[in-house]
Amino acid sequence: MARKSAVSKAIYTRHIRLYRYLNDAWIFTELLRPELKTRADKLRPSKSKTKKPYPVPKRKGTVTSRRRDEDIGLIFYAQHERGIFETNIISMVSRVEAFIQECIAIAAIGFPAKLSVLADKSGIPLDLFLEHEDRDDVIRRFVALKCEGLMFGKPSEYLDKAAKVLSIELEPETVRSFIEIKASRDIIIHNSGLINKLYVEKAGDKRRGEAGEELVIDDAYFRHVIVTLKALAGAIQSKTEAVYK
């Protein structure tokens, strides 16, 4: 399909890049998990008391950290069961948020009137005009500043802002699923995977447990995350393309 709009072209390029990243994460995880299990099954039963040296980094050079084979087996087991999913989910959510921010910037640079959706009553700070000579640089930096603030807020709010800037509507079900994924990501980072009241509040009817329970992070949920993130990014790309032809 020949895309004439610069906005559509730029967003499509970034969408394909993100789409490939998400697919790569799935492929990598699918290929690596059997290897992790094989290593775990081999090392966990070990009765050896010998602690082998493993070099680990420090400020200057390395230092030795000693582990028994059983300890290393438990590391492989933890990564197979949960760790590899958690690491990928954290990274993938960040990539999708970056994609959303890039889409906002692309639309705002192409159509500066869109800045009114992001700007408050004070408008664009004078400092930005003094720091950047190029108009696009001013807009890009302004959007970045606004998005930095947005991304620390509720996903529902920055998705709403993005939709308004892009002149599109996102499916409520996809938005709610993304909100739950973001809430799960926050629990992984900030509460060691244990559900708290904040998660329950954020996830709403999409919550996957109650406060005090361990949040399930397994292969089925990992698949759901990738499918949802691809659906969200794909909707942003296709709906934007329908607007900017």
Side-chain angles (χ1 to χ4, degrees):
M1 175 181 178
R3 294 174 179 83
K4 298 179 180 180
S5 167
V7 171
S8 293
K9 289 178 181 178
I11 290 179
Y12 177 77
T13 298
R14 285 158 179 78
H15 169 251
I16 291 299
R17 187 187 304 154
L18 175 62
Y19 196 85
R20 183 177 182 87
Y21 172 82
L22 295 172
N23 284 341
D24 286 350
W26 174 265
I27 293 169
F28 174 77
T29 301
E30 284 289 285
L31 292 175
L32 185 58
R33 285 192 74 228
E35 296 297 324
L36 293 171
K37 187 177 187 304
T38 298
R39 294 289 189 95
D41 290 346
K42 179 179 179 180
L43 294 171
R44 285 175 67 202
S46 174
K47 302 301 180 184
S48 174
K49 301 299 182 183
T50 302
K51 291 188 175 182
K52 297 178 181 178
Y54 293 90
V56 295
K58 65 175 186 177
R59 180 173 296 182
K60 293 184 178 180
T62 60
V63 66
T64 296
S65 182
R66 296 184 176 276
R67 297 288 188 277
R68 296 175 301 170
D69 285 346
E70 182 185 5
D71 298 328
I72 300 300
L74 289 172
I75 293 173
F76 282 117
Y77 178 77
Q79 287 298 313
H80 171 269
E81 293 296 300
R82 188 181 181 98
I84 193 170
F85 299 134
E86 292 183 331
T87 301
N88 273 298
I89 289 170
I90 292 169
S91 178
M92 291 189 302
V93 169
S94 295
R95 288 292 189 106
V96 170
E97 288 183 324
F99 168 74
I100 294 168
Q101 184 171 330
E102 286 180 330
C103 291
I104 292 173
I106 290 165
I109 290 170
F111 299 87
K114 297 286 185 179
L115 291 174
S116 62
V117 178
L118 300 174
D120 51 31
K121 293 181 180 179
S122 60
I124 300 177
L126 177 61
D127 289 349
L128 291 183
F129 287 99
L130 297 177
E131 292 172 4
H132 305 280
E133 294 182 3
D134 185 77
R135 186 206 68 161
D136 287 357
D137 288 341
V138 172
I139 294 174
R140 191 176 288 107
R141 183 56 185 151
F142 175 72
V143 171
L145 287 171
K146 288 297 181 181
C147 286
E148 285 170 12
L150 279 176
M151 294 305 175
F152 283 110
K154 296 179 180 180
S156 58
E157 293 177 354
Y158 64 69
L159 285 175
D160 181 63
K161 286 282 188 182
K164 287 178 179 177
V165 171
L166 297 169
S167 300
I168 64 174
E169 290 186 10
L170 296 172
E171 293 293 333
E173 181 68 15
T174 303
V175 170
R176 286 196 293 270
S177 292
F178 176 76
I179 290 171
E180 189 285 321
I181 291 169
K182 180 64 187 296
S184 291
R185 172 261 185 200
D186 293 344
I187 285 295
I188 292 169
I189 294 176
H190 301 299
N191 211 44
S192 302
L194 193 66
I195 295 174
N196 56 21
K197 291 182 179 179
L198 188 57
Y199 166 84
V200 174
E201 179 184 326
K202 288 178 178 178
D205 60 2
K206 287 289 185 180
R207 66 185 181 276
R208 299 184 297 113
E210 301 298 334
E213 298 174 355
E214 184 177 47
L215 190 67
V216 174
I217 305 292
D218 56 13
D219 53 349
Y221 183 67
F222 185 59
R223 185 183 191 282
H224 164 74
V225 170
I226 288 184
V227 169
T228 300
L229 297 183
K230 288 170 70 174
L232 177 61
I236 291 172
Q237 186 276 318
S238 61
K239 289 175 180 290
T240 301
E241 188 168 285
V243 173
Y244 303 95
K245 299 180 179 179

PDB file of all heavy atoms in Angstrom, residues 5 8 29 31 42 46 103 122 152 163 165 185 194 201:
ATOM      1  N   SER A   5       0.842  10.252   3.178  1.00  0.00           N
ATOM      2  CA  SER A   5       1.026  11.141   4.323  1.00  0.00           C
ATOM      3  C   SER A   5       2.335  10.854   5.055  1.00  0.00           C
ATOM      4  O   SER A   5       2.663   9.693   5.345  1.00  0.00           O
ATOM      5  CB  SER A   5      -0.140  10.989   5.305  1.00  0.00           C
ATOM      6  OG  SER A   5       0.150  11.598   6.539  1.00  0.00           O
ATOM      7  N   SER A   8       1.508   9.151   8.380  1.00  0.00           N
ATOM      8  CA  SER A   8       1.225   7.722   8.237  1.00  0.00           C
ATOM      9  C   SER A   8       2.494   6.912   7.997  1.00  0.00           C
ATOM     10  O   SER A   8       2.683   5.839   8.577  1.00  0.00           O
ATOM     11  CB  SER A   8       0.245   7.488   7.080  1.00  0.00           C
ATOM     12  OG  SER A   8      -1.017   8.014   7.376  1.00  0.00           O
ATOM     13  N   THR A  29      11.897 -16.015  23.914  1.00  0.00           N
ATOM     14  CA  THR A  29      11.429 -16.658  25.144  1.00  0.00           C
ATOM     15  C   THR A  29      11.078 -18.121  24.896  1.00  0.00           C
ATOM     16  O   THR A  29      11.422 -18.999  25.701  1.00  0.00           O
ATOM     17  CB  THR A  29      10.206 -15.905  25.702  1.00  0.00           C
ATOM     18  OG1 THR A  29      10.574 -14.543  25.960  1.00  0.00           O
ATOM     19  CG2 THR A  29       9.717 -16.527  26.999  1.00  0.00           C
ATOM     20  N   LEU A  31      12.297 -20.097  22.662  1.00  0.00           N
ATOM     21  CA  LEU A  31      13.510 -20.875  22.405  1.00  0.00           C
ATOM     22  C   LEU A  31      14.348 -21.048  23.669  1.00  0.00           C
ATOM     23  O   LEU A  31      14.982 -22.091  23.863  1.00  0.00           O
ATOM     24  CB  LEU A  31      14.351 -20.191  21.324  1.00  0.00           C
ATOM     25  CG  LEU A  31      13.767 -20.180  19.906  1.00  0.00           C
ATOM     26  CD1 LEU A  31      14.659 -19.366  18.971  1.00  0.00           C
ATOM     27  CD2 LEU A  31      13.602 -21.595  19.375  1.00  0.00           C
ATOM     28  N   LYS A  42      19.082 -30.183  35.700  1.00  0.00           N
ATOM     29  CA  LYS A  42      20.403 -30.806  35.859  1.00  0.00           C
ATOM     30  C   LYS A  42      21.092 -30.367  37.156  1.00  0.00           C
ATOM     31  O   LYS A  42      21.733 -31.182  37.832  1.00  0.00           O
ATOM     32  CB  LYS A  42      21.285 -30.444  34.659  1.00  0.00           C
ATOM     33  CG  LYS A  42      22.693 -31.030  34.730  1.00  0.00           C
ATOM     34  CD  LYS A  42      23.500 -30.640  33.501  1.00  0.00           C
ATOM     35  CE  LYS A  42      24.917 -31.215  33.586  1.00  0.00           C
ATOM     36  NZ  LYS A  42      25.727 -30.834  32.395  1.00  0.00           N
ATOM     37  N   SER A  46      21.664 -31.369  42.614  1.00  0.00           N
ATOM     38  CA  SER A  46      23.048 -31.551  43.039  1.00  0.00           C
ATOM     39  C   SER A  46      23.183 -31.470  44.564  1.00  0.00           C
ATOM     40  O   SER A  46      22.612 -30.592  45.205  1.00  0.00           O
ATOM     41  CB  SER A  46      23.940 -30.484  42.385  1.00  0.00           C
ATOM     42  OG  SER A  46      25.247 -30.568  42.898  1.00  0.00           O
ATOM     43  N   CYS A 103       4.334   8.607  18.375  1.00  0.00           N
ATOM     44  CA  CYS A 103       3.177   8.888  17.511  1.00  0.00           C
ATOM     45  C   CYS A 103       2.607  10.272  17.789  1.00  0.00           C
ATOM     46  O   CYS A 103       2.239  11.005  16.863  1.00  0.00           O
ATOM     47  CB  CYS A 103       2.096   7.826  17.709  1.00  0.00           C
ATOM     48  SG  CYS A 103       2.541   6.190  17.076  1.00  0.00           S
ATOM     49  N   SER A 122      -0.417  28.164  29.871  1.00  0.00           N
ATOM     50  CA  SER A 122       0.844  28.902  29.747  1.00  0.00           C
ATOM     51  C   SER A 122       1.480  28.754  28.368  1.00  0.00           C
ATOM     52  O   SER A 122       2.428  29.465  28.037  1.00  0.00           O
ATOM     53  CB  SER A 122       1.842  28.429  30.817  1.00  0.00           C
ATOM     54  OG  SER A 122       2.111  27.047  30.672  1.00  0.00           O
ATOM     55  N   PHE A 152       3.863   9.403  33.499  1.00  0.00           N
ATOM     56  CA  PHE A 152       3.903   9.135  34.935  1.00  0.00           C
ATOM     57  C   PHE A 152       2.489   9.112  35.523  1.00  0.00           C
ATOM     58  O   PHE A 152       2.306   8.793  36.696  1.00  0.00           O
ATOM     59  CB  PHE A 152       4.751  10.182  35.666  1.00  0.00           C
ATOM     60  CG  PHE A 152       6.223   9.965  35.513  1.00  0.00           C
ATOM     61  CD1 PHE A 152       6.997  10.824  34.746  1.00  0.00           C
ATOM     62  CD2 PHE A 152       6.850   8.899  36.131  1.00  0.00           C
ATOM     63  CE1 PHE A 152       8.361  10.618  34.603  1.00  0.00           C
ATOM     64  CE2 PHE A 152       8.209   8.676  35.991  1.00  0.00           C
ATOM     65  CZ  PHE A 152       8.977   9.548  35.230  1.00  0.00           C
ATOM     66  N   ALA A 163      -5.079   9.584  21.750  1.00  0.00           N
ATOM     67  CA  ALA A 163      -6.191   9.418  20.814  1.00  0.00           C
ATOM     68  C   ALA A 163      -6.692  10.765  20.307  1.00  0.00           C
ATOM     69  O   ALA A 163      -7.007  10.920  19.119  1.00  0.00           O
ATOM     70  CB  ALA A 163      -7.324   8.648  21.492  1.00  0.00           C
ATOM     71  N   VAL A 165      -4.914  13.631  20.137  1.00  0.00           N
ATOM     72  CA  VAL A 165      -3.897  14.211  19.260  1.00  0.00           C
ATOM     73  C   VAL A 165      -3.944  13.559  17.886  1.00  0.00           C
ATOM     74  O   VAL A 165      -3.825  14.227  16.859  1.00  0.00           O
ATOM     75  CB  VAL A 165      -2.487  14.062  19.873  1.00  0.00           C
ATOM     76  CG1 VAL A 165      -1.407  14.461  18.860  1.00  0.00           C
ATOM     77  CG2 VAL A 165      -2.351  14.920  21.128  1.00  0.00           C
ATOM     78  N   ARG A 185       2.784  -4.715  35.446  1.00  0.00           N
ATOM     79  CA  ARG A 185       4.182  -4.279  35.312  1.00  0.00           C
ATOM     80  C   ARG A 185       4.633  -3.519  36.551  1.00  0.00           C
ATOM     81  O   ARG A 185       5.733  -3.702  37.067  1.00  0.00           O
ATOM     82  CB  ARG A 185       4.314  -3.436  34.053  1.00  0.00           C
ATOM     83  CG  ARG A 185       5.658  -2.754  33.860  1.00  0.00           C
ATOM     84  CD  ARG A 185       5.572  -1.316  34.302  1.00  0.00           C
ATOM     85  NE  ARG A 185       6.780  -0.574  34.029  1.00  0.00           N
ATOM     86  CZ  ARG A 185       7.100   0.566  34.638  1.00  0.00           C
ATOM     87  NH1 ARG A 185       6.291   1.077  35.564  1.00  0.00           N
ATOM     88  NH2 ARG A 185       8.198   1.199  34.340  1.00  0.00           N
ATOM     89  N   LEU A 194       3.625  -9.148  44.293  1.00  0.00           N
ATOM     90  CA  LEU A 194       2.540  -9.370  45.248  1.00  0.00           C
ATOM     91  C   LEU A 194       1.453  -8.310  45.041  1.00  0.00           C
ATOM     92  O   LEU A 194       1.730  -7.108  45.090  1.00  0.00           O
ATOM     93  CB  LEU A 194       3.064  -9.299  46.683  1.00  0.00           C
ATOM     94  CG  LEU A 194       2.131  -9.802  47.787  1.00  0.00           C
ATOM     95  CD1 LEU A 194       1.907 -11.306  47.641  1.00  0.00           C
ATOM     96  CD2 LEU A 194       2.714  -9.486  49.164  1.00  0.00           C
ATOM     97  N   GLU A 201      -7.146  -1.415  42.433  1.00  0.00           N
ATOM     98  CA  GLU A 201      -7.799  -0.176  42.025  1.00  0.00           C
ATOM     99  C   GLU A 201      -7.516   0.147  40.568  1.00  0.00           C
ATOM    100  O   GLU A 201      -8.427   0.516  39.814  1.00  0.00           O
ATOM    101  CB  GLU A 201      -7.317   0.969  42.913  1.00  0.00           C
ATOM    102  CG  GLU A 201      -7.907   2.318  42.580  1.00  0.00           C
ATOM    103  CD  GLU A 201      -7.331   3.442  43.428  1.00  0.00           C
ATOM    104  OE1 GLU A 201      -7.013   3.189  44.597  1.00  0.00           O
ATOM    105  OE2 GLU A 201      -7.189   4.563  42.908  1.00  0.00           O
TER     106      GLU A 201
END
